[in-house]
Amino acid sequence: MNRRHCAAAAIILVCTLTVLTAPTQAFAAPAPPSPTASAGAPKKSLEEVRKEIDALYRKAGAATDAYNLADEQAKKQSGEIVELAKAIVEGQAKIADLKSKAGAQAREQYRTGGLPPGAQLMLSDDPQMFMDGINRVWQGQQAAKGVLGDLTRTQADLEMYTKDASTNWTKLEANRIKQAKAKKQINAQIAAAKKLESQLKKEERARLLELEQDAEYRAQTAWLGSGALKEINREASERDKKAVAFATSQIGKPYEWGAEGPGSYDCSGLTSQAWAAAGRPIPRTSQEQWRQLPHIAIKDMRPGDLIIYHGDASHVGMYIGDGAIVHAPRPGRNVTLAGAGSMEILGVVRPDK
């Protein structure tokens, strides 16, 4: 029994010395287990918890992009429906007016025995009155044709406006459904991530932040070590400078999904508002920014360009020079500076081109 106690004490002492003498950047020692593991299941290391939380927030970011795109499309369709409604009202008023004119012409023809006044003048023995009659008949015919033509065109326009309004309404409802679904996904992912974090002790949460920063540092160091910055020395345009000035002035403001300022932002809310402030409106979402804006090689990158991250283009930051970006990271974090290579780079786009 004594031998067992001595052996156990020796093991504990060796483990303690290993932890105390390890370099501060090394994480070979087992991290405190996550309290999220169920009874009987293998306990998760803090690094595994960090990766799980990161994955949840990335999924929330992708869902946020889907929500923002659906929201943008819904706003556009709502605006189109309003304009179509105005056109329909104007068309209906015009049809009523044209029908009134056509009715007046028909009543006049009835009163004159089927002949308009101009036609009656044509029967006169007076040559001048005869010529006036011919002219009036021609004018009357043209006016009648004009009224009927306008009526036909207006009715066709009205049918088209009604059809377009119906189509836009269908799209609007579809986008509202997409919004609701994306919102549900966002809330679920964020709630799951927050639940994981809330179950950690205070010292574990501090350690989690260290692990997060260390992962970013390792990725940035590897990116810089690849020589990615060797050829980057491009001069920013005036609009680039304005966009960078706006974005960096938001540092410290909280991340909030779907937010476009002024008190909080999500990632693409920050970049789209920065470029709007610079006088260059760009798409609202990171995925649309990647799809619609001109692509630039990393070696040609300059301050003001947008770096799109992850394979699904679910995150974006603004390059500000010297290998750094300003971005809105995720819920629970504020707008901040970070290494441009601290996340998986999909590519670079340039709004000012």
Side-chain angles (χ1 to χ4, degrees):
M1 217 30 198
N2 287 333
R3 278 163 130 193
R4 261 189 229 160
H5 285 306
C6 289
I11 291 169
I12 292 169
L13 180 60
V14 169
C15 289
T16 304
L17 289 172
T18 301
V19 173
L20 292 175
T21 57
T24 55
Q25 283 79 15
F27 303 105
S34 165
T36 60
S38 59
K43 292 182 178 179
K44 296 175 184 176
S45 70
L46 200 55
E47 175 62 11
E48 287 173 324
V49 173
R50 182 195 71 78
K51 288 181 179 178
E52 189 175 346
I53 289 172
D54 184 60
L56 287 167
Y57 278 126
R58 277 193 54 196
K59 287 177 183 176
T64 298
D65 224 40
Y67 175 90
N68 288 337
L69 181 58
D71 181 59
E72 188 176 41
Q73 290 173 338
K75 286 176 181 176
K76 180 183 176 183
Q77 280 142 11
S78 293
E80 288 175 354
I81 288 171
V82 169
E83 291 305 311
L84 286 167
K86 289 178 181 177
I88 288 170
V89 170
E90 290 172 2
Q92 289 171 334
K94 187 174 181 181
I95 284 174
D97 182 57
L98 289 169
K99 283 183 176 179
S100 176
K101 288 180 180 177
Q105 288 177 347
R107 287 191 296 274
E108 180 63 26
Q109 190 173 7
Y110 176 77
R111 282 197 301 269
T112 56
L115 292 175
Q120 293 177 9
L121 286 170
M122 287 176 64
L123 302 176
S124 171
D125 293 332
D126 187 330
Q128 184 61 46
M129 290 182 70
F130 180 79
M131 294 302 296
D132 289 343
I134 290 175
N135 186 49
R136 290 186 188 180
V137 167
W138 182 84
Q139 289 176 346
Q141 288 174 339
Q142 293 302 111
K145 285 180 181 178
V147 169
L148 292 174
D150 281 350
L151 186 59
T152 301
R153 283 191 298 273
T154 304
Q155 285 175 329
D157 288 344
L158 196 58
E159 288 176 10
M160 183 185 68
Y161 295 151
T162 304
K163 185 178 179 181
D164 287 349
S166 177
T167 300
N168 274 279
W169 185 262
T170 301
K171 289 179 180 178
L172 179 62
E173 288 304 301
N175 278 309
R176 282 176 177 162
I177 291 170
K178 286 180 185 177
Q179 276 182 277
K181 185 178 178 182
K183 185 175 182 179
K184 188 176 180 181
Q185 290 175 338
I186 294 163
N187 288 332
Q189 302 293 349
I190 292 176
K194 287 183 175 179
K195 183 178 179 181
L196 278 175
E197 288 184 281
S198 69
Q199 291 174 337
L200 298 173
K201 296 176 182 177
K202 184 178 179 180
E203 58 270 22
E204 288 177 321
R205 287 198 294 272
R207 177 69 172 150
L208 187 70
L209 182 58
E210 288 178 12
L211 290 175
E212 184 181 304
Q213 292 170 340
D214 182 72
E216 292 176 358
Y217 174 77
R218 287 199 304 268
Q220 174 74 352
T221 301
W223 184 68
L224 294 175
S226 70
L229 282 182
K230 283 183 180 178
E231 298 181 51
I232 298 177
N233 189 25
R234 310 290 176 186
E235 183 68 25
S237 69
E238 287 305 309
R239 286 205 292 195
D240 284 327
K241 292 174 183 176
K242 288 180 182 178
V244 169
F246 180 93
T248 52
S249 69
Q250 310 309 309
I251 289 174
K253 293 182 179 180
Y255 177 103
E256 181 183 352
W257 68 264
E260 299 178 78
S264 57
Y265 296 88
D266 63 19
C267 65
S268 56
L270 176 66
T271 54
S272 60
Q273 287 302 304
W275 272 101
R280 169 74 167 93
I282 64 172
R284 167 66 177 88
T285 71
S286 57
Q287 290 177 345
E288 288 301 295
Q289 289 169 7
W290 173 244
R291 190 175 72 84
Q292 295 185 35
L293 297 177
H295 290 204
I296 301 295
I298 289 177
K299 66 182 181 63
D300 296 324
M301 192 163 57
R302 71 189 189 197
D305 288 344
L306 305 181
I307 303 181
I308 309 296
Y309 292 98
H310 310 307
D312 58 0
S314 58
H315 191 68
V316 60
M318 180 180 289
Y319 186 65
I320 61 170
D322 298 323
I325 60 166
V326 58
H327 73 142
R330 65 166 177 83
R333 300 285 185 265
N334 296 332
V335 175
T336 188
L337 299 180
S342 60
M343 295 167 283
E344 175 198 358
I345 295 177
L346 176 61
V348 182
V349 294
R350 176 166 295 164
D352 193 23
K353 187 177 181 182

